[in-house]
């Protein structure tokens, strides 16, 4: 297995962010909330964890598509189980207030898409991609409950 803990010793963003906290979400389970005003464009937190190959992901892992962050190279994922931070609890919305940006082919950052108020839950669009037929089971597993007026009903990428 190839693995590498990302930015564990050097990155400030690996530390707990004073900008956010984790608590129960109205959308699903736990979510991440702004603790103070956050201006549009702010780099809020890094999605840290251990970089591993998709092919090394255990097949029986729960929710592998949503807890593991797939990198653009299509081969690697960031697993927040080791070295992860609050970002692992950010929920999906079809009308997100944050976006996930990949930099240097290996690091993922969560940036504010608009001004956020204290107490607002953070969301980004998971845009999940699957390399299997989109069966009703896959659709059900990926059903979206974000409640946005433009909710597409799924956390899958549909474009
Ligand atoms: C990375 S976790 C986010 C943290 C999650 N709320 C928890 O407490 O475990 C991703 C999982 O949260 C759930 N989730 C996130 N956003 C959702 C949404 N908009 N609708 C339904 N479920 C969502 C799904 O079960 C998804 O597999
Ligand atoms: Zn939705």
């Amino acid at each position: 297995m190839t693995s590498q803990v990302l930015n564990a010793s050097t990155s400030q963003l690996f530390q707990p962010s004073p900008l956010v906290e984790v608590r129960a979400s109205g959308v699903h389970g736990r979510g991440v909330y702004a603790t103070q005003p956050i201006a549009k464009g702010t780099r809020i937190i890094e999605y840290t964890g251990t970089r591993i190959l998709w092919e090394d992901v255990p097949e029986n892992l729960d929710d592998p598509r949503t807890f593991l962050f797939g990198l653009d190279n299509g081969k690697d994922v960031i697993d927040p189980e080791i070295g992860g931070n609050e970002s692992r609890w950010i929920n999906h919305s079809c009308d997100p207030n944050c976006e996930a940006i990949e930099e240097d082919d290996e690091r993922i950052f969560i940036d504010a898409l608009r001004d956020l108020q204290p107490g607002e839950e953070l969301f980004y669009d998971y845009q999940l991609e699957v390399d299997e037929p989109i069966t009703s089971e896959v659709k059900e597993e990926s059903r979206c409950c974000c409640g946005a007026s433009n909710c597409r009903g799924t956390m899958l990428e549909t474009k």
Side-chain angles (χ1 to χ4, degrees):
M1 176 184 287
T2 306
S3 69
Q4 169 195 5
V5 176
L6 292 170
N7 314 311
S9 58
T10 55
S11 173
Q12 293 291 319
L13 294 167
F14 177 76
Q15 303 299 324
S17 170
L19 299 177
V20 296
E21 65 182 5
V22 177
R23 54 187 165 86
S25 165
V27 171
H28 178 275
R30 286 185 246 184
V32 177
Y33 291 79
T35 55
Q36 51 190 277
I38 299 175
K40 177 179 176 178
T42 300
R43 179 141 289 175
I44 300 172
I45 195 166
E46 179 169 1
Y47 197 98
T48 59
T50 305
R51 184 171 174 150
I52 58 175
L53 290 167
W54 261 124
E55 63 192 43
D56 290 334
V57 172
E59 284 187 11
N60 58 357
L61 199 68
D62 277 349
D63 280 342
R65 291 190 307 268
T66 55
F67 271 104
L68 303 175
F69 204 113
L71 297 177
D72 287 346
N73 69 10
K75 293 181 183 166
D76 299 316
V77 294
I78 298 175
D79 179 358
E81 193 60 38
I82 301 171
N85 58 20
E86 301 101 316
S87 61
R88 68 190 295 186
W89 302 108
I90 300 176
N91 282 320
H92 159 95
S93 173
C94 302
D95 184 18
N97 50 19
C98 294
E99 64 181 336
I101 305 280
E102 180 175 327
E103 286 193 357
D104 305 327
D105 296 329
E106 62 171 1
R107 296 177 72 178
I108 303 291
F109 297 94
I110 308 299
D111 292 0
L113 276 174
R114 57 174 175 75
D115 292 346
L116 300 174
Q117 303 307 316
E120 254 192 272
E121 183 170 355
L122 275 57
F123 298 101
Y124 62 88
D125 187 338
Y126 287 5
Q127 296 177 305
L128 299 178
E129 290 177 14
V130 289
D131 55 6
E132 57 188 304
I134 299 182
T135 59
S136 50
E137 194 185 351
V138 171
K139 270 192 193 157
E140 184 52 31
E141 281 171 7
S142 309
R143 192 162 58 86
C144 181
C145 306
C146 76
S149 57
N150 63 342
C151 178
R152 58 182 188 267
T154 178
M155 298 182 284
L156 294 169
E157 170 67 274
T158 53
K159 285 174 199 150

